[in-house]
Amino acid sequence: SSDVCSSDLSKFLRLASTLVLKLLEAIVSILLTLFFAGPVLLFMRAVNTASRWVVSTIFAIRALTSSSAPRVTLSPLGLDNIWGYKAFGNGNSRNVLFVSMYQGEFDGTRYKARFEDDVIGYVDPGTGRHPFLRLRQIFSRACGYYAWKQDLEFSIDNHIFLWPDPGPGNPMTEPELFDLLSELAKDMPEDHPQWQEIIIPRFRCDRLGMDAKGWGPDGPGEEHTLRILRFHHSYGDAGSWLLLISYCMAEGKIPYAV
């Protein structure tokens, strides 16, 4: 029995020594990584910070010395940069499409004017600042960095479109809507801020089979007004846009904006 105990003890000691060695190897690896990688990462961060400062200074001087040069600000948020990623080949869609239907008529002309006054022109009474100026800026790349570029020719007409009214009995159909959405999913050019609203005065929802409670007394087949939000993901998401419209244009009374 003494031989058995001696054998078990020997196995235990070998196992314990192996575990200790593995632990020491891990500790040494971590220390070496911190010793060498730490300074390298700090150096890279310093170079990136210096490069951003140089690029920002160049763009600031250019904007001050030339009235035709747009103001360019490097994106300070990593989230903006994430949405700027574009894969090779066919790539990935960076747009958000949000479709909403309204019962009855929708005054697109009045909505367009109110959006320009209550959102684009909104001034925070507490700070005196314009919190939605980004809607006047173009998300682009500058010297390898993602940046926000001022649109010197900004016009609400380039962003809110009123679809031609074909008259009663000639609504847009679901197949036509899906064809339109497939086109709207494509990237927008960078000549203007990448957000749009398309207001379609007549649309008939048949194939989705909505019930009468949701879409009026006539149920499926009734004509509705359709509103399509199209925007680059760096400007926000569907929820943030609904909150913006709710609090700037409806005094927070839109119930689904949470």
Side-chain angles (χ1 to χ4, degrees), residues 88-256:
F88 293 104
N90 293 329
N92 51 294
S93 176
R94 297 174 292 181
N95 291 345
V96 176
L97 294 177
F98 182 82
V99 182
S100 55
M101 280 195 293
Y102 298 85
Q103 185 179 357
E105 295 185 359
F106 185 97
D107 191 340
T109 302
R110 181 171 177 269
Y111 172 83
K112 185 176 181 178
R114 282 203 59 194
F115 193 96
E116 184 170 23
D117 293 338
D118 297 345
V119 177
I120 303 298
Y122 176 78
V123 179
D124 189 322
T127 63
R129 301 179 62 183
H130 294 264
F132 305 122
L133 285 181
R134 178 169 290 187
L135 297 179
R136 303 175 65 103
Q137 299 173 339
I138 304 167
F139 185 68
S140 60
R141 289 179 68 91
C143 298
Y145 292 99
Y146 288 106
W148 293 95
K149 182 172 64 175
Q150 179 187 12
D151 183 3
L152 297 176
E153 299 180 353
F154 177 84
S155 171
I156 198 69
D157 293 330
N158 294 323
H159 300 279
I160 298 182
F161 303 96
L162 307 181
W163 201 264
D165 189 348
N170 296 293
M172 176 180 286
T173 62
E174 287 180 41
E176 292 172 336
L177 170 63
F178 292 138
D179 288 341
L180 175 61
L181 292 177
S182 66
E183 290 297 318
L184 295 179
K186 298 177 181 178
D187 283 342
M188 287 176 271
E190 296 182 2
D191 50 351
H192 296 294
Q194 300 99 312
W195 65 270
Q196 295 176 343
E197 289 197 51
I198 299 96
I199 299 172
I200 300 172
R202 300 184 188 278
F203 171 74
R204 186 178 65 244
C205 181
D206 290 326
R207 187 158 53 86
L208 292 178
M210 301 295 182
D211 59 20
K213 292 182 180 179
W215 306 112
D218 297 330
E222 182 183 1
E223 291 185 4
H224 303 280
T225 299
L226 203 66
R227 181 163 148 260
I228 304 174
L229 282 172
R230 178 198 190 196
F231 52 92
H232 192 287
H233 219 321
S234 59
Y235 290 86
D237 55 24
S240 61
W241 275 82
L242 289 175
L243 285 170
L244 180 149
I245 294 170
S246 175
Y247 286 95
C248 289
M249 303 182 66
E251 299 178 352
K253 296 178 181 178
I254 300 179
Y256 51 71

